[in-house]
Amino acid sequence: MRKNEISHERQISREAANDGTDELASQTALDVDELVVGYPSTDELVIDGQTLAVPDGEVTALIGPNGSGKSTLLKALANRLEPDDGRVLLDDRRVDSFESKELARKLGRLSQQNTAPDTISVEELVERGRYPHQGFFESQTDDDAEAVDEAIAMAGVDHLRDREIGTLSGGQTQLVWIAMALAQDTDVLLLDEPTTFLDPRHQLEVMQVVEMLRDKSDTTVVLVLHDISQAARYADNVVALKEGTIYASGPPEAIVTDDLLADVFDIDSEVIETEHGPVVVPLDPIVEPSQNETNESEMLQRGSGSPGQQE
């Protein structure tokens, strides 16, 4: 569907909900209600009329093939993309009704690509996470220093505190960025592909931080993951997206199945149940026959079934 085809009925149904607060009661941290999102550079919609409830204090993983809308949905949750229709609610309040610093005190987001001067120290970068809690020209407080120390400790980068960012490995750098997001001290944290391009050890370290956030501070975490086994192991809820729609959502054991992976990712696979959760073994891509191949197959079948027509 294109942007100019959004239903007029949807728009009318939202007219009473433009004041920030909302009549929709929710027991969740984030509510997505008939969300329609695209990019200004194109008329094509990426997310078209999707609804989702993100449980409070749990880990929710977004999975799906490339281009399915995972990162776009995450940007909409963080109010980084203006919806063409629908709404995102944070604690029953529209995210677009928050002022930027107010929202940043409640919701943090770490994108796929983050940049900082090579010469800045780890501690200085993590301190930047305290910006939403500081007033104009306000210096760092004792609370800020404590939050920075806790974030550095939780991310396991205390031994890197005085190192310059430019001297770190990719895995170490990612953990430092996560420490900065932790220092922001929000109720909700959004992570876009936090383990991509990391070696197995650093992937495990990142996911253990996610576990600690949930278990020790009741933080709601929503993250995009390409590793389906990782999503099944660490997430309380898995949301599978395909072509901008939420194909299925629920607990990992209900979502990570052979049939769903075939439908969503176009792969034959085997899902093996282990004590650590489902493990996905991809076997082969599912290749749809071309129209010519289908026509030739049908002709051969007709020919073999009608001897009188054969020369």
Side-chain angles (χ1 to χ4, degrees):
M1 181 182 290
R2 292 180 178 271
K3 291 182 182 179
N4 58 6
E5 295 173 351
I6 297 171
S7 68
H8 182 59
E9 289 79 4
R10 267 191 209 160
Q11 295 174 7
I12 292 174
S13 70
R14 298 294 180 273
E15 288 179 355
N18 292 326
D19 61 346
T21 58
D22 196 273
E23 76 283 355
L24 180 63
S26 171
Q27 300 300 317
T28 56
L30 285 164
D31 288 282
V32 178
D33 184 26
E34 296 190 21
L35 187 68
V36 179
V37 181
Y39 289 91
S41 59
T42 176
D43 286 337
E44 294 296 331
L45 297 172
V46 180
I47 302 293
D48 186 12
Q50 299 305 295
T51 296
L52 175 69
V54 177
D56 185 34
E58 296 185 2
V59 176
T60 297
L62 308 182
I63 64 171
N66 293 338
S68 59
K70 304 181 298 296
S71 294
T72 300
L73 177 57
L74 210 67
K75 289 176 183 176
L77 294 180
N79 198 34
R80 296 300 180 94
L81 277 177
E82 182 179 355
D84 293 281
D85 196 23
R87 56 195 169 176
V88 176
L89 306 179
L90 173 63
D91 293 337
D92 299 327
R93 180 178 165 187
R94 295 175 66 108
V95 293
D96 54 8
S97 72
F98 289 88
E99 294 184 354
S100 59
K101 267 196 169 184
E102 182 187 13
L103 180 61
R105 288 192 293 269
K106 296 182 69 68
L107 183 147
R109 171 180 171 266
L110 191 61
S111 62
Q112 293 181 34
Q113 297 178 337
N114 305 285
T115 59
D118 285 345
T119 55
I120 192 174
S121 73
V122 166
E123 184 174 9
E124 288 171 330
L125 181 58
V126 177
E127 286 173 353
R128 293 187 177 187
R130 297 303 297 166
Y131 169 75
H133 301 274
Q134 296 170 347
F136 199 57
F137 292 131
E138 184 178 323
S139 59
Q140 190 181 57
T141 66
D142 290 342
D143 287 343
D144 293 329
E146 183 179 353
V148 168
D149 288 343
E150 289 179 356
I152 287 175
M154 181 174 285
V157 293
D158 192 54
H159 62 295
L160 304 173
R161 178 187 288 263
D162 298 322
R163 290 268 299 273
E164 292 183 350
I165 293 297
T167 68
L168 305 181
S169 70
Q172 291 172 329
T173 302
Q174 182 70 336
L175 286 169
V176 172
W177 281 107
I178 289 175
M180 189 196 75
L182 299 181
Q184 197 171 327
D185 193 21
T186 59
D187 297 328
V188 178
L189 181 60
L190 312 179
L191 302 173
D192 196 354
E193 299 186 23
T195 60
T196 300
F197 304 126
L198 299 186
D199 61 48
R201 172 177 176 154
H202 284 103
Q203 289 187 37
L204 287 170
E205 288 176 340
V206 168
M207 295 310 298
Q208 285 170 355
V209 171
V210 170
E211 277 190 315
M212 283 192 291
L213 278 173
R214 174 195 61 198
D215 297 341
K216 294 186 177 181
S217 61
D218 292 326
T219 301
T220 302
V221 181
V222 183
L223 72 169
V224 174
L225 290 173
H226 278 296
D227 189 323
I228 305 168
S229 298
Q230 211 169 67
R233 177 179 177 181
Y234 290 99
D236 302 295
N237 316 284
V238 175
V239 179
L241 288 94
K242 181 177 183 179
E243 297 178 350
T245 65
I246 295 173
Y247 187 88
S249 64
E253 59 271 18
I255 302 302
V256 181
T257 64
D258 297 344
D259 290 341
L260 182 135
L261 297 179
D263 292 342
V264 172
F265 290 90
D266 294 323
I267 59 171
D268 282 324
S269 62
E270 182 177 359
V271 178
I272 303 172
E273 295 295 335
T274 75
E275 61 179 314
H276 304 294
V279 173
V280 177
V281 181
L283 300 175
D284 290 293
I286 297 174
V287 180
E288 295 293 337
S290 67
Q291 188 61 48
N292 287 339
E293 291 173 332
T294 302
N295 291 340
E296 289 175 2
S297 176
E298 291 175 351
M299 291 174 64
L300 288 171
Q301 290 175 2
R302 287 199 297 269
S304 63
S306 304
Q309 296 178 4
Q310 299 179 14
E311 294 182 356

